[in-house]
Amino acid sequence: MISRRACFRNLLQSLRTSYSSSKIGDYHRFASRASSFLQQVFEPSTYSDDENPGVDWDNLGFYMMRTDYMYMTKCTKGECFEQGQLSRYGNIELSPAAGVLNYGQGLFEGTKAYRSEDGRLLLFRPEQNAIRMKMGAERMCMPSPSIDQFVDAVKQTAIANKRWIPPAGKGSLYLRPLLMGSGQILGLGAAPEYIFLIYVSPVGNYFKEGFAPLNLYVEEEFDRASRGGTGGVKSVTNYAPGLKPLTRAKSRGFSDVLYLDSVNKKFIEEVSSCNIFILKGNVIASPAANGTILEGVTRKSIIDIARENGYQVEERVITIDELIDADEVFCTGTAVGVAPVGSVTYKGQRIEFKTGPHTVSQELYTTLEGIKRGLIKDNKGWIVEID
Ligand code: COI
């Protein structure tokens, strides 16, 4: 039987003879990196790592673009995930009876890769996403990849899609890890098989507003999460129910929806795509992550930066009345970044907040983006360099 190592060598050999000389150098560079993942056998890129894939980097939004590679691995219930493989980006095959399709047994994550001014490729705290996926998997009765496997998979996928990482300052490569029950199951139960995969897309601003302040609508009819539910984990089932209130709010000209707690309809919780913060004087507050609120990686990072910058930061229950009285309001999330809120509309009343260059949200945004993009020294061990 031919070993995987030999198979990889054969592949390399046949490519040596079939590639044009200009592409051989590119392939060797790619292959030397890929060889550290010797278990993988995948079709190498016919593009150089630095070849522009034809993207208009100045006009990136948050849209799906088909890129070169995705990562995938499977696991049978009760076992560990196999060594994953990179393959050409494309559709996957699923049984119509897959757990994720029928009972929503699935989780997703979001993390970004950046290109620094001096050409380094940087990831931001990917192990935090790995930890969150692990916690979510426990809640959703799914096996999860180990922290190392998750981070390694993120690195491999980012490197394989290097040419899709926007130039410094133009955006980022959004990596979307997915964990799903892929095995077939008819009665309600945990699926017998699971897929962990990662796909990517270059992205710019999440909101069509760009860097302009957001206008939020306080949702009173629909809830995002309830006590004992899954609001605190990144379950795929948390998001589709939010489409109705989101679509309604957008059709009325709002950027997004701010949810209240489902019991009292009095405490602010989360925006459909991100966490929320308020500022009053020197005090910054965000709803405590008590099970109904997703503990965002950006949220966590902003709390640390704000404390370091001398602000008093509180994680606690926050009434809608407190928000109305705030000096500043801002949102945080991987996709969203740090976004200032210009107005919140509640019970027909539009309340406006301070925005602009001399705000605390701008100060925090500048520090966080500086660290992520390698402009500010990372003294917290948040940055993972991958190239
Ligand atoms: C992210 O911020 O990465 C998310 O997953 C939010 C999603 C609604 C885009």
Side-chain angles (χ1 to χ4, degrees):
M1 197 176 83
I2 186 165
S3 72
R4 284 188 180 212
R5 190 179 288 266
C7 180
F8 186 86
R9 248 196 332 265
N10 291 350
L11 180 69
L12 195 65
Q13 190 55 47
S14 68
L15 284 159
R16 273 195 192 115
T17 50
S18 62
Y19 269 65
S20 70
S21 58
S22 67
K23 292 294 175 194
I24 285 175
D26 295 334
Y27 176 60
H28 278 307
R29 248 176 286 124
F30 193 70
S32 66
R33 242 180 276 132
S35 63
S36 63
F37 315 115
L38 260 178
Q39 298 290 311
Q40 303 160 19
V41 178
F42 63 95
E43 193 189 340
S45 175
T46 52
Y47 302 100
S48 111
D49 278 350
D50 299 314
E51 193 169 324
N52 184 335
V55 178
D56 177 2
W57 300 122
D58 291 315
N59 288 299
L60 285 172
F62 201 87
Y63 311 109
M64 184 60 205
M65 255 180 236
R66 194 189 171 91
T67 58
D68 294 336
Y69 292 104
M70 63 186 196
Y71 173 99
M72 190 155 125
T73 171
K74 285 189 181 177
C75 148
T76 309
K77 197 169 151 191
E79 291 181 8
C80 293
F81 277 94
E82 301 158 4
Q83 173 89 36
Q85 293 198 354
L86 290 166
S87 60
R88 282 287 187 192
Y89 175 83
N91 294 346
I92 60 167
E93 197 169 274
L94 272 185
S95 158
V100 66
L101 296 180
N102 292 263
Y103 298 121
Q105 200 187 16
L107 290 167
F108 74 94
E109 276 298 326
T111 186
K112 284 175 170 172
Y114 301 85
R115 202 181 283 272
S116 69
E117 293 288 348
D118 57 5
R120 290 174 299 141
L121 302 183
L122 312 173
L123 297 173
F124 184 72
R125 309 187 78 180
E127 77 294 344
Q128 293 296 320
N129 298 90
I131 293 167
R132 191 168 63 183
M133 179 168 271
K134 231 181 193 343
M135 285 163 44
E138 199 278 322
R139 175 68 181 82
M140 303 290 285
C141 291
M142 294 194 278
S144 56
S146 70
I147 310 291
D148 283 350
Q149 190 172 20
F150 181 104
V151 173
D152 190 47
V154 167
K155 285 183 189 170
Q156 287 187 49
T157 317
I159 289 171
N161 291 290
K162 182 178 173 182
R163 70 194 188 106
W164 296 90
I165 304 180
K170 300 278 186 192
S172 58
L173 186 73
Y174 185 78
L175 295 109
R176 172 56 66 81
L178 277 179
L179 179 64
M180 67 183 101
S182 51
Q184 50 187 18
I185 183 99
L186 195 54
L188 180 58
E193 186 201 75
Y194 295 83
I195 288 178
F196 171 59
L197 70 78
I198 306 179
Y199 67 88
V200 305
S201 180
V203 296
N205 282 319
Y206 181 76
F207 289 108
K208 70 170 176 33
E209 286 83 348
F211 291 108
L214 307 179
N215 298 302
L216 301 182
Y217 177 80
V218 180
E219 176 56 51
E220 291 186 87
E221 184 185 356
F222 297 105
D223 300 322
R224 176 187 172 273
S226 58
R227 262 205 344 239
T230 57
V233 298
K234 220 161 165 56
S235 163
V236 295
T237 53
N238 289 345
Y239 291 83
L243 294 178
K244 188 167 176 154
L246 181 64
T247 310
R248 187 169 63 181
K250 285 199 169 178
S251 73
R252 294 175 185 165
F254 296 102
S255 327
D256 208 329
V257 163
L258 170 60
Y259 288 99
L260 298 175
D261 76 284
S262 63
V263 177
N264 304 291
K265 296 279 183 183
K266 187 173 147 194
F267 304 110
I268 61 168
E269 293 230 311
E270 193 171 322
V271 175
S272 31
S273 55
C274 47
N275 293 119
I276 191 153
F277 283 81
I278 65 167
L279 168 90
K280 183 76 181 171
N282 191 49
V283 181
I284 294 174
S286 189
N290 57 3
T292 56
I293 287 157
L294 190 75
E295 208 169 351
V297 178
T298 311
R299 175 185 177 278
K300 204 180 253 194
S301 309
I302 283 294
I303 288 174
D304 286 355
I305 291 171
R307 286 199 173 121
E308 216 171 86
N309 286 9
Y311 296 97
Q312 182 181 326
V313 182
E314 298 172 352
E315 295 177 75
R316 57 174 173 81
V317 288
I318 299 170
T319 63
I320 181 71
D321 291 338
E322 270 187 88
L323 175 137
I324 290 170
D325 192 40
D327 299 332
E328 281 182 44
V329 177
F330 57 94
C331 293
T332 65
T334 298
V336 166
V338 179
V341 174
S343 78
V344 170
T345 298
Y346 177 55
K347 292 193 185 297
Q349 190 197 350
R350 180 182 156 107
I351 307 107
E352 300 202 340
F353 303 97
K354 189 176 170 198
T355 57
H358 305 296
T359 53
V360 172
S361 73
Q362 180 67 38
E363 172 196 327
L364 300 174
Y365 164 82
T366 307
T367 308
L368 182 65
E369 283 301 300
I371 296 171
K372 285 179 171 181
R373 295 174 187 281
L375 297 167
I376 295 177
K377 192 171 156 40
D378 165 35
N379 54 18
K380 299 175 179 60
W382 286 353
I383 296 299
V384 177
E385 205 173 317
I386 52 171
D387 203 27

